[in-house]
Amino acid sequence: MTILVPLILALLLLFNNIDSGFSQGYGRKPRPSRQDKNLQVPYVWNILEYSFPSDSDRRAAIANDNYVQNNGLPIDVQPHYLKNKPVRTFVTIPRFQTGIPYTLATISDKMGPNGPIINPYPSYRAHNVNGDDCDQITSAFRVAITECNQMWVMDSGSVGLETRCAPQLLLFDLNTDQLIHRYRFNTTVYTPSASLLVTPIVVVKDPPPRGNCRRAMVYVADVNYHGLIIYDHMANSSWRSEHKYMYPDPDYGTHTVAGESFTLMDGIIGMTTDRRNLFFHPMASITEFSVPLHVLDNSSHFLHGTGALESFMPLGKRASECVATATDSWDNVYCVTMNPIELISWNVSTRYHNKNFKKFPIDQDILEFVSGMKVVTNNEGKEELWMISNRFQKVAAETQKTNEVNFRILVYTLGTARMNPNSNPNDLHTRLVFSN
């Protein structure tokens, strides 16, 4: 039997029933998986293992209901490679409910009873306690690291169903782990306690070594109120785009993952770019759409015009819905479909059709509901596809068990990264590259 609830309410239904000396968050080297030599599964959890600066901080969090052991659903993963250092892995834990001590973390190399211990980023004190201080982080949803060694964080400002603080974009310098920029959205581009800003896609127009990383555009999905917000970093301004393609399709509002079904009418959520177009889809849809970036980047289309509706295009259909998506340097777009559970890729030079999809031999049992996905280049020049699987279908159906592995981070080695992929956007080769 399916249930009809919004994403946050589904999490509320589940979670209402149920040491000092932080490291820098640099985790262990991923271990190979038995299923595929290109696949690694470096981290698994039954439930999340939070660290605290001291025992007194832990006790205070428990006493104030700011820490409930079983609470916390990791949504996004973001690896960060620096030369001569192991990978540092970020995760987000949005505050779908109270009882989550912090919502942006790094994974340590220390183990707890239920999985690796996570540490707050950038610090324990930088996190908002349920909306009490809007200068802190309230609810980090997804993040994006750019070639500028900077990380953009989308803080939805929501706790449960309530907007406690204005949604904001936070920019961290990963060389120093300092906050260097904050942009609070105003209510001209979102609706409090109705909008939910979740997915930031960042395009840097002046990347290093020649540029200074000031000309960045950030595209943010409003999953609940079905729109797209565009932020111009240099101008420090934002505008909103709306289109029927950002709305859920009622024919695909009931999702089945690993034999369990739930109903969730989420709009635009999955987004990625080849630096010329934004590719996007609602969660409740099997259709992929696109719009040119130059159209989105022109605020006049949306502030004073018709919204350039004719520039939004349907590309084609998949066999099933998917959530997260990402693009590699060869313009291959990845997503994990729900039913059947498959990791697929499509090259943007081809028609969006099943005959042009590449399918990967990954065990379905470890790919259940992939909510976060990134493509990064490691220190050996190989591209990796990082995914976080959280078995959300069990959260929605209230069948999650804490004695089972519920959360996994997976790493799939794709192949050699294309050199200088952004140097000439009009001269893009179109070949798939995979490791043998």
Side-chain angles (χ1 to χ4, degrees):
M1 180 177 181
T2 61
I3 57 175
L4 180 58
V5 287
L7 172 61
I8 299 174
L9 184 56
L11 291 157
L12 285 166
L13 288 172
L14 172 68
F15 289 117
N16 284 342
N17 293 325
I18 57 174
D19 117 82
S20 64
F22 293 157
S23 73
Q24 292 299 310
Y26 293 97
R28 65 188 59 134
K29 184 178 180 180
R31 300 183 301 273
S33 164
R34 294 180 180 179
Q35 287 85 5
D36 188 299
K37 65 182 180 180
N38 290 329
L39 179 68
Q40 303 164 331
V41 186
Y43 307 109
V44 300
W45 295 266
N46 292 5
I47 59 175
L48 292 178
E49 292 280 352
Y50 299 93
S51 66
F52 292 82
S54 66
D55 288 339
S56 62
D57 285 306
R58 178 187 290 269
R59 290 193 298 269
I62 294 172
N64 295 324
D65 292 326
N66 294 326
Y67 173 43
V68 178
Q69 186 178 29
N70 292 350
N71 283 15
L73 183 77
I75 289 291
D76 198 20
V77 61
Q78 176 67 72
H80 176 225
Y81 280 101
L82 278 179
K83 190 175 181 179
N84 300 322
K85 287 187 177 181
V87 63
R88 176 163 64 163
T89 306
F90 294 88
V91 292
T92 63
I93 313 99
R95 281 198 171 106
F96 295 119
Q97 68 290 313
T98 58
I100 298 173
Y102 42 87
T103 78
L104 178 60
T106 57
I107 305 174
S108 77
D109 57 2
K110 298 178 181 178
M111 291 295 295
N114 295 286
I117 294 172
I118 62 173
N119 295 331
Y121 182 88
S123 69
Y124 185 71
R125 310 299 173 194
H127 288 259
N128 196 348
V129 181
N130 301 321
D132 298 335
D133 185 349
C134 293
D135 287 334
Q136 297 175 330
I137 303 173
T138 303
S139 185
F141 219 104
R142 288 187 174 87
V143 301
I145 291 179
T146 70
E147 57 267 59
C148 305
N149 204 33
Q150 297 172 344
M151 182 169 67
W152 291 87
V153 179
M154 184 62 243
D155 178 0
S156 72
S158 298
V159 179
L161 297 171
E162 182 183 354
T163 302
R164 303 274 180 94
C165 298
Q168 59 182 347
L169 281 169
L170 303 173
L171 182 60
F172 287 93
D173 181 347
L174 295 179
N175 294 302
T176 62
D177 293 325
Q178 297 297 307
L179 179 67
I180 58 174
H181 182 70
R182 179 198 310 269
Y183 180 78
R184 289 189 175 94
F185 293 100
N186 61 54
T187 53
T188 61
V189 296
Y190 82 98
T191 301
S193 296
S195 293
L196 183 63
L197 308 190
V198 296
T199 308
I201 300 297
V202 184
V203 175
V204 178
K205 307 281 188 172
D206 59 340
R210 295 182 180 179
N212 58 14
C213 299
R214 293 189 59 202
R215 295 179 54 230
M217 302 296 295
V218 187
Y219 311 92
V220 180
D222 182 350
V223 66
N224 277 4
Y225 220 56
H226 317 317
L228 177 68
I229 298 172
I230 302 97
Y231 171 63
D232 184 332
H233 180 36
M234 176 172 279
N236 201 37
S237 64
S238 61
W239 51 94
R240 183 179 178 92
S241 169
E242 294 185 354
H243 195 282
K244 64 181 180 179
Y245 294 156
M246 301 175 190
Y247 280 67
D249 183 339
D251 289 338
Y252 296 96
T254 297
H255 316 278
T256 300
V257 181
E260 295 184 275
S261 297
F262 61 97
T263 297
L264 181 58
M265 292 295 294
D266 265 5
I268 181 173
I269 189 168
M271 302 198 307
T272 189
T273 179
D274 64 352
R275 299 184 64 88
R276 294 166 300 176
N277 301 285
L278 184 76
F279 303 100
F280 68 92
H281 57 260
M283 178 174 162
S285 176
I286 63 169
T287 305
E288 193 72 18
F289 303 97
S290 71
V291 60
L293 294 184
H294 70 81
V295 171
L296 297 176
D297 294 349
N298 186 345
S299 62
S300 65
H301 289 315
F302 308 99
L303 297 177
H304 309 295
T306 61
L309 298 181
E310 71 284 353
S311 298
F312 291 79
M313 300 291 294
L315 298 178
K317 299 181 184 294
R318 298 177 295 276
S320 177
E321 316 91 287
C322 71
V323 182
T325 186
T327 306
D328 67 17
S329 64
W330 296 91
D331 291 338
N332 300 307
V333 177
Y334 301 84
C335 78
V336 174
T337 57
M338 296 186 191
N339 188 27
I341 300 173
E342 292 180 325
L343 171 61
I344 64 172
S345 72
W346 157 75
N347 190 273
V348 302
S349 68
T350 66
R351 187 163 70 96
Y352 197 92
H353 189 273
N354 182 65
K355 69 178 182 180
N356 293 321
F357 295 161
K358 163 80 177 181
K359 298 180 180 180
F360 296 77
I362 299 179
D363 190 336
Q364 293 184 359
D365 292 342
I366 62 174
L367 274 181
E368 297 178 33
F369 203 91
V370 172
S371 62
M373 180 181 289
K374 300 289 190 301
V375 173
V376 299
T377 302
N378 64 25
N379 289 333
E380 287 75 46
K382 298 286 187 179
E383 282 194 306
E384 299 173 338
L385 177 66
W386 285 65
M387 299 170 280
I388 189 163
S389 167
N390 59 26
R391 303 176 92 193
F392 174 73
Q393 78 279 3
K394 291 188 171 294
V395 175
E398 301 183 64
T399 59
Q400 187 184 68
K401 298 178 181 178
T402 58
N403 62 349
E404 298 177 348
V405 172
N406 290 300
F407 314 136
R408 293 178 173 88
I409 290 177
L410 305 97
V411 183
Y412 199 95
T413 302
L414 300 173
T416 303
R418 183 170 180 263
M419 297 301 294
N420 300 318
N422 305 323
S423 59
N424 187 354
N426 297 315
D427 181 26
L428 293 176
H429 300 289
T430 54
R431 66 184 180 92
L432 293 170
V433 179
F434 302 104
S435 297
N436 294 320

